[in-house]
Structure formats: structure tokens, C-alpha cells
Amino acid sequence: MHGNAMPDSYVYVTEEGVTRHYADGSVEALAWEDVVEVRVVTEAGEDVLYILLDRDGEGCVVPRSATDATFLARLRYLPDFDLDRLTLAADSTRDGAVVVWRSPDPPSALPDLEYD
């Protein structure tokens, strides 16, 4: 068999939300109207991750390698979203997680995420 290996996941972006399908069959999905926070996670030698969270701290992890102009354009619809802030965080050489956007009406507290 010829061709590229099956990716470990793929991402769909629609007007309604974002969905990530994993090779093991699991799925993460989040409606745009439920997004209350966007985080960027950087780690040397790894793909940059965009993490979209809802009020319960559940969400969808989107690797930068799986994004396109549609994803970035849709983020701009979030109130006062700053694409330059997202780009600066994603291009950072420092390891860590940065909140690049939070809803003007966020929940009282979102859980901190731990990364191995």
C-alpha cells in the first residue's frame, strides 16, 4: 500500500463548532457558543496546541498542525479576540500554557490543566 500514514487525529471546523477525531475513535467537540477560554500550549519539539474550553473545563484540543485559515478566521468571531496575541503565544520559545482569550462573562474558575 502506498501513500501517507493515517494521521493520529483530524479536526473539523464549522460555523457551529470544532471537532477533533482521534485515530482510536474518540472524539472531542465544542460548540463556538460554549467556548469561554482559549489557551495556547507550547513545548520544545512538540506541536503547539490550541485548547478551547467550556464553562465546565471540558473542551477540544486542536494541534496547530491541524489548523487552517478557517480555524483562525472563526476564532476572530469570539468577542474581542486578539489574533496577534494568539500568534505571539504560539510562536513563543518558552514551554508552558498561556490564556490568550477569556469570555467577557467567564465562569468563576476554570480548572488548571496539567501537561506531562
Side-chain angles (χ1 to χ4, degrees), residues 41-99:
V41 177
T42 55
E43 188 175 325
E46 299 293 325
D47 199 358
V48 172
L49 302 176
Y50 302 124
I51 301 176
L52 310 177
L53 297 170
D54 67 11
R55 293 186 180 280
D56 298 323
E58 299 293 322
C60 188
V61 177
V62 179
R64 179 166 58 178
S65 61
T67 64
D68 60 13
T70 304
F71 177 75
L72 298 176
R74 187 55 189 88
L75 286 174
R76 291 184 190 168
Y77 285 103
L78 297 172
D80 298 321
F81 190 85
D82 185 346
L83 197 55
D84 290 335
R85 182 173 167 87
L86 176 84
T87 302
L88 283 172
D91 291 343
S92 174
T93 57
R94 298 178 66 193
D95 292 352
V98 176
V99 175

Side-chain angles (χ1 to χ4, degrees), residues 30-32 34-39 50-61 99 101 107 110-113 115:
L30 188 60
W32 290 115
D34 294 333
V35 175
V36 298
E37 188 170 288
V38 177
R39 298 178 185 182
Y50 302 124
I51 301 176
L52 310 177
L53 297 170
D54 67 11
R55 293 186 180 280
D56 298 323
E58 299 293 322
C60 188
V61 177
V99 175
W101 179 83
L110 285 172
D112 287 330
L113 300 177
Y115 302 95

